[in-house]
Amino acid sequence: MMWQRVIGGLSGAMSVGTGAYGAHGLKGKEEAYIKVYETGSRYQLVHSAILAATPAICGNSSRAGKVASACFATGIALFSGSCYAVALSEDRSVGKLAPVGGFALIGGWLSLAILRR
């Protein structure tokens, strides 16, 4: 089994759990932090799906697939992780890696569009 399917599947399942927690467990938090948390969960779900599908889209050993998968996995961890940390701690200073994660996600999409097999 390809690592992208495993990590994408586990990350997707986690995003469903984080979404449920956000809907029920964040009651009483400031609305701005709830929105940050929801953004992290939504981006994690979307990018988990594309991470799991990348081998089918690009082939198992293509350069585009390898680069895109690495970018998506890194971006999910950094961007969504930073969003969760900010929302749960209610401290925006812990979200400094979110832009790096966002650029990694953008890099994943660009590598699918530009790189050849």
Side-chain angles (χ1 to χ4, degrees), residues 54-112:
T54 298
I57 295 167
C58 298
N60 293 338
S61 61
S62 71
R63 187 175 85 180
K66 289 177 183 176
V67 172
S69 296
C71 287
F72 288 137
T74 301
I76 290 167
L78 295 179
F79 182 80
S80 293
S82 290
C83 288
Y84 298 143
V86 166
L88 294 174
S89 69
E90 295 186 11
D91 180 7
R92 291 197 179 270
S93 70
V94 299
K96 293 180 180 176
L97 291 176
V100 176
F103 278 114
L105 295 173
I106 292 167
W109 288 106
L110 289 175
S111 64
L112 288 179

Side-chain angles (χ1 to χ4, degrees), residues 2-91:
M2 292 158 274
W3 71 269
Q4 296 95 329
R5 284 183 46 200
V6 174
I7 300 299
L10 291 173
S11 178
M14 181 183 165
S15 71
V16 173
T18 60
Y21 178 77
H24 303 287
L26 295 179
K27 299 227 189 276
K29 289 225 183 233
E30 199 174 307
E31 185 65 28
Y33 291 115
I34 293 172
K35 287 185 178 187
V36 168
Y37 190 92
E38 289 172 347
T39 299
S41 183
R42 183 174 46 258
Y43 274 59
Q44 183 178 359
L45 182 61
V46 168
H47 290 92
S48 295
I50 192 66
L51 174 61
T54 298
I57 295 167
C58 298
N60 293 338
S61 61
S62 71
R63 187 175 85 180
K66 289 177 183 176
V67 172
S69 296
C71 287
F72 288 137
T74 301
I76 290 167
L78 295 179
F79 182 80
S80 293
S82 290
C83 288
Y84 298 143
V86 166
L88 294 174
S89 69
E90 295 186 11
D91 180 7

